[in-house]
Amino acid sequence: MDRYLDLLSEKFPSTEDVITEIINLEAILQLPKGTELFLSDIHGEFPAFDHILRIGSGNLKEKIKDLFSEQMTETDISQFTIFTAYPEYALTTDWYKEQDKSQLIHHLIDLLRFTTVKYTRSKVRKGLPKEYSYIIEELLYIDDRINGKKDYVKKIIEQLVLMKEEEKFLTKLAQTIQKSVIDHLHIVGDIFDRGTQAAKVMDRIMDFSSVDIEWGNHDILWIGAYCGSEACLLTLLRIAARYNYLFELEKEYGLNLRPLFSFAHQTYQKNPVFAPKNSKNLSEREQEELEKIHQALSILQFKSEHQLLDRRPEFKMDDRKLLEKIDYEASTIDLEGQLYELKGTCFQTIQPDDPKKFLEEEQKVIDSLMYSFQHSLRMQKHMTFLIEKGGMYLTNNQHVLFHGCIPVDEKGQLLAFELDQSYRGKELLGFFEKQITESAKDLTAKEDLATDLIWYAWSGPFSPLFGKSKMATFERYFLTEPHTHVEKSNPYYHLRDEEWFSEKILAEFDTKEEGSAIINGHTPVKVKKGESPIKANGKVFVIDGGLSKAYQKTTGIAGYSLLCNSYGFQIVTHYPFLPIEQQFAKKSDQTNVKKVIEQQLPRKLNRDTTKGMELQQQITQLKRLLDYRKDD
């Protein structure tokens, strides 16, 4: 007997155990596949993200419609949807006071039974709240049409109300339903930056029972900082200062930013070029302090990047060593042979003869920031999860998920990133994933190649996460000429509109089956300009529609999400998130009716999925074990 069968034999010691497991797995393969939810570019927008999960990206309302359309009006369905999504709030409303509590419990039990019809009883049991698991299971699986059972069910519910447990029970029941409408969550990158509550987003993701993450460029920035990259750390803090959530970051992760604040206050002056965004609620003094901090972090970032590029000539990014291209007396910069006047400069800590060198005080600030970032317990928890659950891409159920692009030329030919060898296409993504996991093994190695490559993945021209010719941060701060701000996108972003090109990329990942699709985030879909998230005749979905408030003026909506149930894809349009009080008053869950992209008949079963293939392999091995025991 081989080692694998030895292990199986320990897990299933008797023949009856093996037979029972085979029957169980074979039965699971015949169930319809669960509903998958694809989300990207959350960017710290916790209320909107939490809302999407609570309503199952509109799937909750669809289930309620399917079940109660003959019993409830459209208004009742909307109200019941919001109640199920936000029971904590709904229980405080006049609407709830007018409801028949026993009927509400009956409705929620019926709904839970309906939303879990695809799942085994064992799986449902694992998802029930411990304090009420026995009661819920009894109510779920008892047929009250049988003589005597109706009174049994009635008495359970009466006792819940009599003992004033109905509100807690309803809340737990509603929360269980929320979790049941989505079987698996795919995060296609960019959890962090721009929004103020990325920490809460991470907590919510970690609480989800089945999830994977395809890293985005902003996620990589945080991973890089945690792995010791000073350039990544200073960049993410600069972004936090720019979007005015640095103080929230300090609080959420318990970071010690005091040395930074003190240094910035003593070194820099008020500078409107560095005025933070979203600053309406700041006092004049607070804005001035943030402008100083913003300047300090920007200069530290530029110095750190320059140092990194000096030690990594193999990155071939000397054109981004901008500090050495400046005439500090004339306040000009030479870009590709043309002189530009610099505006709003803050170069008081730069030594013209060695512009990349940190002052002693600057290095102390950086060391303090790095120590605080790496030793935050909440940060450690989040980054460990992000690294373990994440990757550069995923092939799942015939589909390919990655955040950004596959670097190509204008003809669609794969471009190579040259290092010790050439990396392109799928291999390029695998290379970066390997470097990230290597860097995470030693958080004290701050200038090794693996850690520097994480920064390259953030801003390098051949990075599949960035996909642009340059990151023009310096130019946007100090130059007024718009053409210097242009970041030329890789041809992938317009070629993916073409069916032939998308088929080529799918083939690169060995997914040539009918119905296979590429799922991307990263680039906001400009709905106002008529752009669609569905490209290449349904072979590509781009689901960054603008969940981040910073993009909503451009996109015109508050993001897309994608559902894939046993019948195929459905795309969901989300509108700007409203406080729950307004949703309840409007009786709206702020989602558009889903547009069916693909109708697959017959329904796709578990046996047709990636997970189903894994289960089939388990069945094969169990049958081998059974045969071995028969022959023994």
Side-chain angles (χ1 to χ4, degrees):
M1 189 187 305
D2 60 37
R3 178 59 181 158
Y4 185 74
L5 290 187
D6 280 338
L7 293 172
L8 273 183
S9 189
E10 291 175 10
K11 188 175 181 181
F12 304 101
S14 71
T15 298
E16 290 76 14
D17 291 332
V18 178
I19 291 172
T20 299
E21 184 66 6
I22 290 173
I23 292 171
N24 176 48
L25 295 179
E26 288 281 12
I28 289 172
L29 290 176
Q30 304 312 308
L31 290 170
K33 74 172 282 294
T35 298
E36 302 167 81
L37 171 59
F38 302 81
L39 277 172
S40 83
D41 298 86
I42 301 161
H43 287 300
E45 297 291 349
F46 176 74
F49 173 68
D50 179 59
H51 176 67
I52 289 172
L53 293 189
R54 284 174 178 265
I55 64 170
S57 194
N59 200 32
L60 175 61
K61 188 172 184 177
E62 294 300 306
K63 296 292 185 185
I64 292 171
K65 279 183 182 178
D66 291 343
L67 184 60
F68 295 117
S69 59
E70 295 184 3
Q71 302 175 48
M72 296 183 183
T73 65
E74 188 65 35
T75 299
D76 290 337
I77 286 171
S78 296
Q79 198 83 73
F80 189 64
T81 300
I82 301 299
F83 165 69
T84 309
Y86 291 92
E88 309 90 336
Y89 172 77
L91 293 173
T92 67
T93 63
D94 291 337
W95 173 86
Y96 174 72
K97 294 175 184 176
E98 298 170 359
Q99 300 304 304
D100 181 326
K101 310 307 183 286
S102 296
Q103 187 181 58
L104 275 180
I105 293 173
H106 273 295
H107 282 339
L108 286 182
I109 288 292
D110 289 343
L111 182 57
L112 181 59
R113 187 182 298 117
F114 186 64
T115 60
T116 57
V117 70
K118 296 179 183 179
Y119 307 145
T120 64
R121 190 162 176 170
S122 172
K123 181 171 180 173
V124 174
R125 186 182 298 119
K126 290 175 183 176
L128 298 179
K130 291 181 180 179
E131 58 268 57
Y132 297 117
S133 59
Y134 172 77
I135 295 174
I136 294 175
E137 197 165 356
E138 286 292 288
L139 294 174
L140 272 179
Y141 297 115
I142 283 180
D143 187 347
D144 60 8
R145 293 171 299 180
I146 298 174
N147 189 34
K149 294 295 185 180
K150 190 170 186 178
D151 289 339
Y152 175 74
V153 170
K154 183 179 178 182
K155 182 57 69 174
I156 290 175
I157 295 175
E158 281 181 356
Q159 287 299 306
L160 282 168
V161 176
L162 183 65
M163 300 179 76
K164 301 188 183 303
E165 279 290 303
E166 76 276 11
E167 291 189 5
K168 291 181 183 178
F169 185 74
L170 285 166
T171 300
K172 291 293 184 181
L173 200 50
Q175 291 169 347
T176 304
I177 291 166
Q178 292 170 26
K179 294 177 181 179
S180 72
V181 294
I182 300 298
D183 187 43
H184 187 87
L185 175 63
H186 302 280
I187 303 293
V188 194
D190 278 2
I191 296 164
F192 296 93
D193 295 332
R194 296 200 177 95
T196 63
Q197 299 182 59
K200 289 183 178 179
V201 171
M202 278 300 299
D203 287 340
R204 189 77 160 88
I205 291 172
M206 291 174 69
D207 188 50
F208 209 88
S209 59
S210 182
V211 63
D212 59 71
I213 301 168
E214 290 66 61
W215 298 318
N217 52 320
H218 288 272
D219 306 319
I220 287 295
L221 190 63
W222 282 62
I223 292 173
Y226 182 66
C227 290
S229 170
E230 292 179 351
C232 288
L233 175 61
L234 295 166
T235 302
L236 77 85
L237 292 174
R238 176 191 61 78
I239 294 171
R242 178 175 173 81
Y243 285 89
N244 187 24
Y245 59 88
L246 188 63
F247 303 129
E248 285 85 352
L249 200 62
E250 177 187 31
K251 179 181 177 182
E252 292 291 341
Y253 284 106
L255 302 180
N256 177 18
L257 303 183
R258 294 300 134 187
L260 168 66
F261 296 165
S262 177
F263 170 76
H265 179 75
Q266 295 171 17
T267 308
Y268 293 92
Q269 290 78 45
K270 183 175 175 60
N271 186 342
V273 168
F274 290 86
K277 296 178 181 291
N278 312 318
S279 59
K280 291 181 181 178
N281 297 324
L282 292 177
S283 67
E284 186 175 342
R285 181 175 174 275
E286 288 171 332
Q287 173 143 337
E288 182 176 335
E289 286 301 305
L290 207 48
E291 286 178 14
K292 293 177 180 179
I293 295 165
H294 192 179
Q295 291 172 80
L297 288 166
S298 299
I299 297 303
L300 290 173
Q301 175 191 326
F302 299 144
K303 286 185 176 184
S304 181
E305 289 176 340
H306 198 136
Q307 291 175 22
L308 187 154
L309 292 175
D310 263 0
R311 68 176 176 265
R312 297 296 169 202
E314 61 268 40
F315 288 178
K316 300 176 183 177
M317 292 178 64
D318 283 357
D319 60 315
R320 300 311 298 162
K321 291 156 63 171
L322 300 179
L323 297 182
E324 67 183 22
K325 302 178 187 297
I326 296 172
D327 182 330
Y328 289 92
E329 288 187 4
S331 195
T332 59
I333 187 169
D334 185 337
L335 297 179
E336 298 179 357
Q338 185 170 347
L339 284 180
Y340 296 90
E341 185 180 352
L342 296 166
K343 306 289 186 181
T345 57
C346 49
F347 298 152
Q348 47 265 55
T349 69
I350 292 178
Q351 304 169 63
D353 58 335
D354 191 2
K356 67 180 181 297
K357 184 178 180 180
F358 291 131
L359 301 181
E360 184 178 347
E361 309 94 281
E362 290 178 314
Q363 189 62 61
K364 286 180 180 178
V365 168
I366 294 170
D367 291 344
S368 172
L369 292 172
M370 183 63 73
Y371 181 88
S372 182
F373 195 88
Q374 289 186 325
H375 287 80
S376 161
L377 295 180
R378 195 177 189 188
M379 186 70 70
Q380 291 173 357
K381 181 181 175 183
H382 287 174
M383 292 302 106
T384 299
F385 182 87
L386 185 61
I387 293 167
E388 289 180 352
K389 286 286 186 179
M392 289 291 291
Y393 72 96
L394 177 71
T395 54
N396 185 67
N397 296 343
Q398 304 176 16
H399 309 305
V400 183
L401 288 63
F402 55 90
H403 178 71
C405 73
I406 302 297
V408 295
D409 63 18
E410 285 291 350
K411 294 182 179 179
Q413 298 301 311
L414 300 176
L415 289 176
F417 175 50
E418 304 285 351
L419 207 59
D420 57 325
Q421 65 180 70
S422 297
Y423 300 94
R424 53 172 61 85
K426 177 183 176 182
E427 188 181 28
L428 178 63
L429 272 68
F431 168 74
F432 276 110
E433 184 170 324
K434 181 180 179 182
Q435 297 304 313
I436 290 160
T437 53
E438 281 297 313
S439 178
K441 292 177 182 177
D442 183 2
L443 303 185
T444 64
K446 302 184 187 329
E447 296 183 358
D448 58 307
L449 177 60
T451 304
D452 286 346
L453 278 165
I454 301 180
W455 175 84
Y456 186 95
W458 158 252
S459 61
F462 288 93
S463 166
L465 295 178
F466 180 50
K468 293 182 180 180
S469 57
K470 68 177 182 181
M471 190 170 287
T473 306
F474 182 96
E475 290 90 334
R476 286 194 296 270
Y477 281 128
F478 299 121
L479 299 178
T480 57
E481 292 81 0
H483 71 272
T484 65
H485 303 177
V486 173
E487 300 172 341
K488 185 179 178 182
S489 295
N490 186 270
Y492 173 89
Y493 294 111
H494 67 81
L495 288 174
R496 68 182 173 188
D497 291 345
E498 305 294 332
E499 199 167 346
W500 67 266
F501 176 74
S502 300
E503 289 173 351
K504 177 177 179 175
I505 298 299
L506 285 167
E508 172 70 12
F509 289 86
D510 302 314
T511 50
K512 302 177 183 178
E513 293 88 346
E514 185 69 27
S516 294
I518 298 166
I519 300 168
N520 292 156
H522 192 52
T523 51
V525 179
K526 298 177 178 65
V527 179
K528 282 184 174 180
K529 295 184 178 180
E531 189 178 354
S532 170
I534 308 163
K535 302 178 184 298
N537 196 25
K539 285 186 166 56
V540 177
F541 299 104
V542 181
I543 54 172
D544 175 9
L547 196 64
S548 171
K549 292 177 183 176
Y551 289 139
Q552 288 175 11
K553 288 183 180 179
T554 302
T555 61
I557 59 169
Y560 288 108
S561 59
L562 189 67
L563 291 169
C564 186
N565 60 25
S566 55
Y567 290 112
F569 281 119
Q570 297 169 301
I571 199 149
V572 186
T573 306
H574 300 276
Y575 297 109
F577 174 75
L578 293 176
I580 178 55
E581 297 84 359
Q582 294 182 40
Q583 289 186 50
F584 207 81
K586 288 188 172 186
K587 303 178 180 62
S588 170
D589 63 1
Q590 294 303 105
T591 58
N592 195 8
V593 176
K594 298 185 292 290
K595 180 179 180 182
V596 178
I597 306 304
E598 167 195 357
Q599 196 74 12
Q600 292 183 341
L601 295 174
R603 298 175 78 178
K604 183 174 281 191
L605 306 181
N606 283 331
R607 70 183 179 206
D608 306 313
T609 66
T610 302
K611 183 66 176 176
M613 293 172 62
E614 295 171 3
L615 294 181
Q616 189 59 62
Q617 290 173 359
Q618 292 178 35
I619 291 169
T620 300
Q621 295 302 321
L622 286 166
K623 288 181 176 179
R624 281 185 61 210
L625 178 59
L626 206 57
D627 291 340
Y628 176 83
R629 286 180 175 171
K630 287 178 181 178
D631 295 337
D632 193 14

